[in-house]
Amino acid sequence: PPILSCSALSKRFLVPGWRLGWLSLYDDAFESLKQAGVKEGVAALCQIGMTPSSITQAAAPAILANTPDQYHADLRATIKRGAKYCVERCRQCPGLDCVYEPQGAMYFMPRVDAKAFAGKLGGENPKGESADIVWTKALLAERNVFMLPGTLFGAPDFARIVTAAPREVLCEAWDRIDSFCREKLGQ
């Protein structure tokens, strides 16, 4: 079968902004990837300003060669624990719904109950922004917790939180999210 494999330093090593990734393609005997135009599509994408800094490029070989396997095992365990904790806290939080549990991702995206929060986030919405945008802006302004609105990822009415943070940071964030939701919903 054809194989398409990709990875990047930014996610694998938790270094946001280090936009250095790689993609490996292996076509099968039937040339499935070639027939699907994958190689040409990848080549076209590579023409779009994908230029990591020289510092990042210089650091990559040492990072890849010298990082002990235990680092990756510990990171996977941290992400798994963080995801489990986020799901547990979300299920206790009014106005949020755990639709999908993370399965290997370092992000968790609960659904924001747009109807429950309608008219309760203060101010008007003259731009007609989606509920997740209004909700995440209010959460940041009132509780200093930064979550990205799901609309940015094609998932309106969802919000994204990182699960790879240390447990005490996640605990503080979820305490603030929970108090925000309970206050807004009168609970």
Side-chain angles (χ1 to χ4, degrees):
I3 299 171
L4 189 148
S5 176
C6 61
S7 192
L9 288 181
S10 59
K11 304 290 189 246
R12 193 171 179 195
F13 293 91
L14 301 180
V15 284
W18 282 42
R19 299 295 180 221
L20 180 63
W22 50 92
L23 177 68
S24 301
L25 301 173
Y26 175 81
D27 215 344
D28 59 11
F30 304 106
E31 296 186 324
S32 301
L33 295 176
K34 183 178 181 180
Q35 289 180 27
V38 171
K39 185 177 177 183
E40 292 78 15
V42 169
L45 281 174
C46 288
Q47 302 306 313
I48 304 173
M50 298 176 135
T51 54
S53 73
S54 59
I55 294 171
T56 305
Q57 292 179 53
I63 292 170
L64 293 171
N66 299 325
T67 301
D69 291 339
Q70 189 61 45
Y71 167 81
H72 299 292
D74 292 346
L75 179 58
R76 283 191 301 274
T78 297
I79 291 171
K80 187 174 183 177
R81 281 191 307 269
K84 182 179 178 190
Y85 181 75
C86 286
V87 168
E88 289 170 3
R89 290 298 302 264
C90 177
R91 288 190 170 137
Q92 299 168 12
C93 193
L96 298 182
D97 184 23
C98 175
V99 179
Y100 304 104
E101 293 186 22
Q103 297 185 11
M106 66 173 71
Y107 305 106
F108 172 61
M109 292 184 69
R111 180 184 301 156
V112 177
D113 187 340
K115 290 181 183 177
F117 287 104
K120 298 179 180 177
L121 298 174
E124 305 224 355
N125 186 5
K127 296 180 185 176
E129 295 174 317
S130 61
D132 57 305
I133 292 174
V134 174
W135 188 86
T136 55
K137 282 182 175 181
L139 178 65
L140 178 60
E142 297 180 30
R143 294 298 194 279
N144 203 28
V145 175
F146 180 69
M147 292 178 74
L148 286 170
T151 296
L152 298 175
F153 308 98
D157 294 338
F158 285 80
R160 186 178 89 163
I161 189 168
V162 176
T163 64
R167 176 67 175 255
E168 59 274 6
V169 173
L170 286 176
C171 183
E172 176 70 24
W174 277 102
D175 286 348
R176 293 178 188 193
I177 294 165
D178 187 74
S179 71
F180 173 81
C181 290
R182 289 182 189 284
E183 177 186 302
K184 297 300 176 186
L185 299 177
Q187 295 186 13

